[in-house]
């Protein structure tokens, strides 16, 4: 198992290019099950979750090739079984269920796993698919689904679930008739999936709004498509410059998808200026603590909560961080406290009081975004920080230590 060793206190200066979006690439790869013909995806990040997804596609009967950020997929003969050994490591694996039902009329998919950040049940996915004509049985840790043909339906989601919206869009693309998703998720990654489906010949409209319409078609075709940049990776590096007192240029930065994050960081005293498809970020005077409340897009993303908390640890004053999406997403708080942070927890709210400095310490990552917050804290801390269990980090950040080292960080990967 690997760990990161960070000798902090060095301001970062230079250019970082933002990689392709993990959260967009995963559902798009699952949607590659649907078309007949070859698909070429560019700007795909080299991550553990991407490799897991390609293994799953291979098990389902697809041929895949991955080289230099380009994935080629061809699915000619599918089988309907997604085994527990792969699905247990990544919740996005369940997204193959709907496409398999649409194409084969049956599917056997293990209940999913992933980060331990709270309950993310798939019941909303199954309820929507049932309205489209699927039937399910849960047995021995597997979802067994069958259908005599998916039909278009009007589906009002209980909450704007990203995975549920993506799942039902994929299934509806080949369903008979029109499907209307109400209270749909509006995240940029949902829009990216809809754009990919349309490039394959689907008829999706309204993506990016709370009502998405999908007119089913008889077949989809292969295409070439470029995955959007990763807004959460970009947000993490937006925090890396001010927390170290440095200045970074982020190339391929999806600034429009980061409005809530950029607004909050500017409120904290961070200068973020666009320059073409890049942004230039640096501290503008003293950092200030602010109040943050996570919510669905276009609000402040839960995936940036841990990172902004790390930044607030060195701000002046105090601020409240309220987590409204996942009930167990404050596991990084105790690790930040080991480094000298002053944070008090009460339920889903954390009170952060800024301190003058953080001090390096051995810390343990509990999930993907918690890992990123500990790396940020380590970059700013005096002394040496060891971030253990970074397999979480490798699920969502491409070559993070190489990118940070190139802009002046003293960081290395080592075996625990």
């Amino acid at each position: 198992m690997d760990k990161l060793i960070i000798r902090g206190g060095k301001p970062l200066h230079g250019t970082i290019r933002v990689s392709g979006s993990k959260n967009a690439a995963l559902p798009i790869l699952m949607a590659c099950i649907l078309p007949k013909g070859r698909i070429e995806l560019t700007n795909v990040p080299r991550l553990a979750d991407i490799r897991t997804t390609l293994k799953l596609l291979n098990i389902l009967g697809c041929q895949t090739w991955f080289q230099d950020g380009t994935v080629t997929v061809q699915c000619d003969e599918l089988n309907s079984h997604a085994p527990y050994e792969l699905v247990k490591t990544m919740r996005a694996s369940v997204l193959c269920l709907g496409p398999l039902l649409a194409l084969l009329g049956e599917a056997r998919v293990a209940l999913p796993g992933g980060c331990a950040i709270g309950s993310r049940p798939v019941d909303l996915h199954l309820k929507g698919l049932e309205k489209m004509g699927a039937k399910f049985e849960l047995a021995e840790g597997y979802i067994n689904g069958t259908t005599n043909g998916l039909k278009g339906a009007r589906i009002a989601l209980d909450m704007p679930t990203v995975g549920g919206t993506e799942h039902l869009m994929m299934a509806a693309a080949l369903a008979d008739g029109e499907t209307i998703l109400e209270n749909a998720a509006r995240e940029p990654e949902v829009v990216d999936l809809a754009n990919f489906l349309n490039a394959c010949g689907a008829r999706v409209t309204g993506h990016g709004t709370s009502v998405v319409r999908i007119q089913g078609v008889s077949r989809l075709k292969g295409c070439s498509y470029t995955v959007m940049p990763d807004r959460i990776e970009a947000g993490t590096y937006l925090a890396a410059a001010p927390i170290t007192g440095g200045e970074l240029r982020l190339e391929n930065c999806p600034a429009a998808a980061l409005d809530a994050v950029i607004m909050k960081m500017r409120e904290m005293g961070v200068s973020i200026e666009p320059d073409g498809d890049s942004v230039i970020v640096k501290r503008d005077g003293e950092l200030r603590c602010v109040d943050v409340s996570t919510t669905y897009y276009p609000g402040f993303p839960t995936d940036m909560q841990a990172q902004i908390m790390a930044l607030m640890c060195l701000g002046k004053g105090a601020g409240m961080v309220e987590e409204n999406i996942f009930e167990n997403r404050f596991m990084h708080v105790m690790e930040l406290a080991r480094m000298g942070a002053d944070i008090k927890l009460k339920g889903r709210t954390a009170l952060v009081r800024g301190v003058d400095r953080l001090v390096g310490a051995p810390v343990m990552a509990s999930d993907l975004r918690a890992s990123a917050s500990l790396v940020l804290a380590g970059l700013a801390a005096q002394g040496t920080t060891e971030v253990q269990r970074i397999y979480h980090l490798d699920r969502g950040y491409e070559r993070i230590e190489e990118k940070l080292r190139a802009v002046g960080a003293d960081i290395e990967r080592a075996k625990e």
Side-chain angles (χ1 to χ4, degrees), residues 66-381:
F66 190 12
Q67 186 173 8
D68 298 330
T70 297
V71 171
T72 304
V73 182
Q74 180 132 8
C75 299
D76 293 325
E77 296 185 13
L78 291 169
N79 70 72
S80 59
H81 181 208
Y84 174 72
E85 288 71 20
L86 281 178
V87 176
K88 70 178 180 181
T89 65
M90 190 181 64
R91 290 178 185 264
S93 301
V94 77
L95 297 182
C96 68
L97 178 65
L100 290 174
L101 286 172
L103 284 167
L104 303 178
E106 62 179 11
R108 175 175 166 81
V109 179
L111 286 166
C115 283
I117 59 174
S119 175
R120 291 190 282 185
V122 298
D123 60 316
L124 297 182
H125 303 221
L126 303 186
K127 284 168 61 177
L129 290 169
E130 284 176 339
K131 288 192 174 182
M132 297 172 68
K135 296 181 179 180
F136 297 103
E137 290 183 355
L138 303 182
E140 300 177 340
Y142 278 83
I143 304 168
N144 298 310
T146 58
T147 180
N148 291 324
L150 296 179
K151 307 288 185 183
R154 180 182 291 270
I155 302 169
L157 296 167
D158 294 341
M159 55 189 286
T161 161
V162 172
T165 301
E166 292 170 339
H167 203 165
L168 297 173
M169 277 200 315
M170 286 189 275
L174 292 179
D176 182 17
E178 184 182 52
T179 299
I180 301 173
L181 303 180
E182 298 175 344
N183 197 26
R186 300 164 58 188
E187 272 73 2
E189 296 80 10
V190 173
V191 174
D192 212 33
L193 172 63
N195 289 338
F196 167 74
L197 290 171
N198 285 342
C200 294
R203 296 171 61 189
V204 183
T205 58
H207 39 296
T209 76
S210 59
V211 179
V212 178
R213 296 174 180 268
I214 309 100
Q215 184 67 48
V217 297
S218 59
R219 61 172 307 194
L220 298 177
K221 64 183 188 304
C223 73
S224 296
Y225 190 80
T226 300
V227 175
M228 67 173 285
D230 194 311
R231 64 188 173 109
I232 305 303
E233 184 197 35
T236 302
Y237 293 132
L238 283 177
I243 203 171
T244 64
E247 179 176 336
L248 293 174
R249 172 187 289 271
L250 302 185
E251 294 180 341
N252 198 35
C253 180
L258 283 165
D259 276 348
V261 173
I262 290 174
M263 180 180 70
K264 196 57 67 172
M265 285 190 178
R266 283 174 172 161
E267 188 181 337
M268 292 182 69
V270 179
S271 169
I272 301 172
E273 297 300 330
D275 184 15
D277 73 342
S278 302
V279 299
I280 298 171
V281 55
K282 61 183 177 181
R283 188 185 300 178
D284 185 13
E286 290 185 330
L287 287 176
R288 299 180 293 274
C289 291
V290 296
D291 294 335
V292 175
S293 182
T294 66
T295 187
Y296 303 105
Y297 189 84
F300 194 92
T302 180
D303 278 355
M304 277 298 299
Q305 178 254 106
Q307 298 92 309
I308 200 136
M309 186 183 291
L311 188 58
M312 287 172 60
C313 287
L314 292 175
K316 295 295 182 182
M320 301 290 292
V321 178
E322 183 181 26
E323 175 56 54
N324 296 305
I325 305 299
F326 296 122
E327 71 275 12
N328 194 23
R329 204 165 202 181
F330 281 140
M331 290 185 285
H332 49 282
V333 167
M334 294 308 297
E335 302 303 301
L336 289 171
R338 288 169 52 79
M339 302 177 70
D342 184 354
I343 307 173
K344 298 292 187 295
L345 282 179
K346 185 176 182 180
R348 291 189 175 216
T349 302
L351 173 62
V352 184
R353 292 185 176 92
V355 297
D356 292 333
R357 65 173 188 164
L358 296 174
V359 180
V363 291
M364 185 174 294
S366 55
D367 62 73
L368 171 55
R369 305 308 173 185
S371 306
S373 74
L374 298 178
V375 170
L376 290 173
L379 292 171

Side-chain angles (χ1 to χ4, degrees), residues 19-98:
S19 298
S21 169
K22 173 187 88 93
N23 288 342
L26 293 179
I28 288 173
L29 283 169
M30 292 299 179
C32 289
I33 294 170
L34 293 166
K36 297 296 183 184
R38 182 167 295 224
I39 295 164
E40 184 177 272
L41 302 176
T42 55
N43 201 36
V44 179
R46 184 169 290 279
L47 300 169
D49 278 6
I50 298 295
R51 292 192 293 270
T52 299
T53 303
L54 295 178
K55 288 179 183 176
L56 178 57
L57 290 176
N58 293 153
I59 287 175
L60 293 174
C62 301
Q63 294 178 290
T64 63
W65 301 266
F66 190 12
Q67 186 173 8
D68 298 330
T70 297
V71 171
T72 304
V73 182
Q74 180 132 8
C75 299
D76 293 325
E77 296 185 13
L78 291 169
N79 70 72
S80 59
H81 181 208
Y84 174 72
E85 288 71 20
L86 281 178
V87 176
K88 70 178 180 181
T89 65
M90 190 181 64
R91 290 178 185 264
S93 301
V94 77
L95 297 182
C96 68
L97 178 65

